[in-house]
Amino acid sequence: MSEAGQHTPEPAQLLLVEDNPGDVRLTREAFKQGRIDNDLHTVSDGSDALDFLRQRGEYEDAPRPDLVLLDLNLPRKDGEEVLAELKDDPELQSIPVIVLTSSRAEEDIARSYELHANAYLTKPVDPDEFIETVRAFEKFWFSVVRLPPEDDDQ
């Protein structure tokens, strides 16, 4: 352990793919309250998510996310399509993807894991529980889990 305040790691780069403004606001609030320094980037549909990940168009300067939070119910391209394309791309497939959705359907859960989602979380309806869920997964993914290094030269 380094001395308090001496080591400041780079902020975690998170991409939230979510079309519900209320859920975006709650997620931002949860990360603001959390202990992990992060840059939370948001896009509201699947097409923009893939442009962000591939640094295309208006997202050409976007950072490579350390983690993607992906809703399944999205306009233009749904979450399953985004997940399938991301995990099929050798340059992007090592980025962990957490499905964060309101769906409790068994087929959505099974399909997400078939498409190589790293975790599946159901959004609680209660705002306080939603914030607790985000904070719990933040602690797990950034304090316990070792994420893949950014440069995956193959």
Side-chain angles (χ1 to χ4, degrees):
M1 254 319 166
S2 62
E3 290 177 27
Q6 294 302 310
H7 177 64
T8 335
E10 288 291 309
Q13 299 296 323
L14 306 174
L15 176 60
L16 173 63
V17 187
E18 172 61 69
D19 64 324
N20 179 325
D23 288 350
V24 170
R25 192 177 63 251
L26 283 173
T27 305
R28 283 196 182 284
E29 183 63 32
F31 279 118
K32 201 163 38 174
Q33 292 176 13
R35 298 177 175 273
I36 309 301
D37 190 19
N38 67 77
D39 291 333
L40 183 63
H41 308 275
T42 58
V43 294
S44 59
D45 68 58
S47 295
D48 281 351
L50 290 167
D51 285 347
F52 186 101
L53 288 159
R54 293 185 173 131
Q55 299 174 313
R56 293 188 302 220
E58 66 180 287
Y59 302 105
E60 66 182 349
D61 294 327
R64 178 185 170 93
D66 296 306
L67 191 70
V68 175
L69 292 170
L70 179 65
D71 188 17
L72 291 182
N73 306 309
L74 297 167
R76 291 174 52 191
K77 244 185 219 289
D78 70 23
E80 281 187 5
E81 291 176 277
V82 172
L83 185 57
E85 283 191 45
L86 192 153
K87 292 301 184 177
D88 200 40
D89 185 326
E91 291 184 25
L92 301 174
Q93 63 190 191
S94 66
I95 298 172
V97 177
I98 313 307
V99 173
L100 182 62
T101 188
S102 53
S103 173
R104 295 179 182 276
E106 293 291 324
E107 60 269 17
D108 286 343
I109 297 168
R111 182 76 182 128
S112 293
Y113 282 117
E114 285 168 14
L115 293 170
H116 307 290
N118 297 84
Y120 189 103
L121 299 175
T122 303
K123 295 177 194 170
V125 176
D126 177 83
D128 291 332
E129 287 179 29
F130 184 99
I131 288 174
E132 276 309 305
T133 297
V134 171
R135 296 211 29 216
F137 105 75
E138 174 197 42
K139 182 177 181 185
F140 175 75
W141 281 96
F142 293 108
S143 300
V144 179
V145 172
R146 296 221 27 203
L147 295 172
E150 185 175 325
D151 292 318
D152 248 2
D153 293 334
Q154 296 172 342

